[in-house]
Amino acid sequence: FAPFANISIFTMLYWQTCGDSNLKSYSQIDLLAQLMQEPGFDPKHLANLNSAREERRLDNYFEHVEGSPLSVDDRWIKGVAKIHLPKEGVQYKSEEDMPEFAVEGVTYRSLVDVFTVAYQQPCVKTWHFIPHRLYWIP
């Protein structure tokens, strides 16, 4: 595993740079390594991990707890999304002149409601709210 300090570091970097997994940035790999050091993290819990199955579990999960980001009681709205569809080779005077396609059964929330619930979560304490400007000097 040279030049790395151990097989674990080699495996992480190999995973990052080989195959389809090379979409991870250095900071994402560093974060993953930090997460694996958290108390309660047990690699044995990942033995039968199926990411697609776990994503479906999260998609289908809901809570009836006020203020939870996963609550079904947070003023979700059922509606119709109308999408303007341009046609290849045809020019329109404006977007409103384009044909429209209606997608029914869309569930959405007010952006204000999303922010309100998000800012009530404990993790907000670690968020960075002060704007800044990044100056890059080569």
Side-chain angles (χ1 to χ4, degrees):
F1 51 79
F4 305 105
N6 57 53
I7 190 70
S8 298
I9 294 174
F10 166 79
T11 303
M12 291 286 284
L13 290 219
Y14 181 82
W15 171 77
Q16 177 193 19
T17 58
C18 295
D20 293 337
S21 65
N22 64 356
L23 303 174
K24 301 292 180 225
S25 68
Y26 293 131
S27 61
Q28 288 172 313
I29 294 295
D30 293 347
L31 178 59
L32 178 60
Q34 288 174 358
L35 292 173
M36 293 170 69
Q37 302 303 311
E38 289 290 320
F41 181 86
D42 186 349
K44 294 174 190 159
H45 293 161
L46 303 176
N48 296 312
L49 176 68
N50 178 316
S51 297
R53 179 189 65 226
E54 297 305 321
E55 186 72 25
R56 282 191 305 276
R57 184 189 318 261
L58 181 59
D59 287 344
N60 295 322
Y61 181 80
F62 61 88
E63 294 179 342
H64 290 286
V65 178
E66 187 175 329
S68 168
L70 302 175
S71 175
V72 295
D73 301 326
D74 282 332
R75 298 186 288 214
W76 288 91
I77 303 164
K78 281 261 190 200
V80 177
K82 296 181 180 178
I83 303 169
H84 293 282
L85 301 173
K87 185 175 180 182
E88 188 176 340
V90 177
Q91 290 189 350
Y92 300 93
K93 290 181 183 180
S94 70
E95 186 174 324
E96 287 75 30
D97 294 335
M98 293 180 187
E100 204 172 68
F101 178 74
V103 180
E104 299 198 22
V106 175
T107 305
Y108 64 96
R109 286 178 67 184
S110 154
L111 197 53
V112 173
D113 288 343
V114 172
F115 285 133
T116 301
V117 171
Y119 285 112
Q120 293 173 351
Q121 301 306 309
C123 64
V124 171
K125 295 174 187 171
T126 63
W127 292 3
H128 178 79
F129 292 104
I130 300 170
H132 64 279
R133 192 176 282 171
L134 176 65
Y135 294 96
W136 180 68
I137 301 173

